[in-house]
Amino acid sequence: MDAMERVSLPKTVRPIRYILTLRPDLKAFTFAGKAEIEIEILELTQDITLNATDLLIRLHQVKLKVSERLHPLSPKSVTLNQEMETATFHLTKVLPVGKAILSIAFS
């Protein structure tokens, strides 16, 4: 995708801070990793869309912690859009406005 064609993410959720852990495999020229993303939910939503390109996301290793009092949520599905270079996580519950932590394992 050309820089001039950059896609704007939905305004419902905004990433604030990323903590990345990468494990390169120099023999296979690949990598695996984890991302902990602090997000701010600005409007009620069931979807979180973030930039992502050429990643394999392990759905069973995606968790969303919305509150200290609640158990982490797992998305019911993830949609990878290669053309738009995005990943959208679809949840079963509507997320309340506020901050949350999205944890993702990928390769």
Side-chain angles (χ1 to χ4, degrees), residues 1 6-10 12-15 18 35 37 39 45-59 62 64 75 77-91 95 102-107:
M1 174 178 292
R6 183 153 236 195
V7 175
S8 293
L9 296 175
T12 53
V13 176
R14 177 179 64 140
Y18 294 81
I37 306 166
I39 59 173
T45 186
Q46 283 185 265
D47 298 323
I48 298 171
T49 301
L50 300 171
N51 294 109
T53 189
D54 296 329
L55 295 178
L56 172 63
I57 296 174
R58 299 179 189 113
L59 185 60
V62 176
L64 180 71
S77 64
V78 61
T79 302
L80 296 173
N81 185 322
Q82 298 297 329
E83 183 180 328
M84 304 298 262
E85 298 180 346
T86 60
T88 301
F89 302 93
H90 308 283
L91 296 136
L95 301 173
L102 181 63
S103 300
I104 304 169
F106 57 86
S107 58

Side-chain angles (χ1 to χ4, degrees), residues 22-38:
L22 298 174
R23 290 182 313 281
D25 181 340
L26 300 178
K27 291 181 181 177
F29 297 105
T30 61
F31 66 91
K34 291 183 181 181
E36 230 181 59
I37 306 166
E38 182 180 352

Side-chain angles (χ1 to χ4, degrees), residues 89-102:
F89 302 93
H90 308 283
L91 296 136
T92 57
K93 296 183 179 185
V94 174
L95 301 173
V97 171
K99 292 189 178 176
I101 303 289
L102 181 63

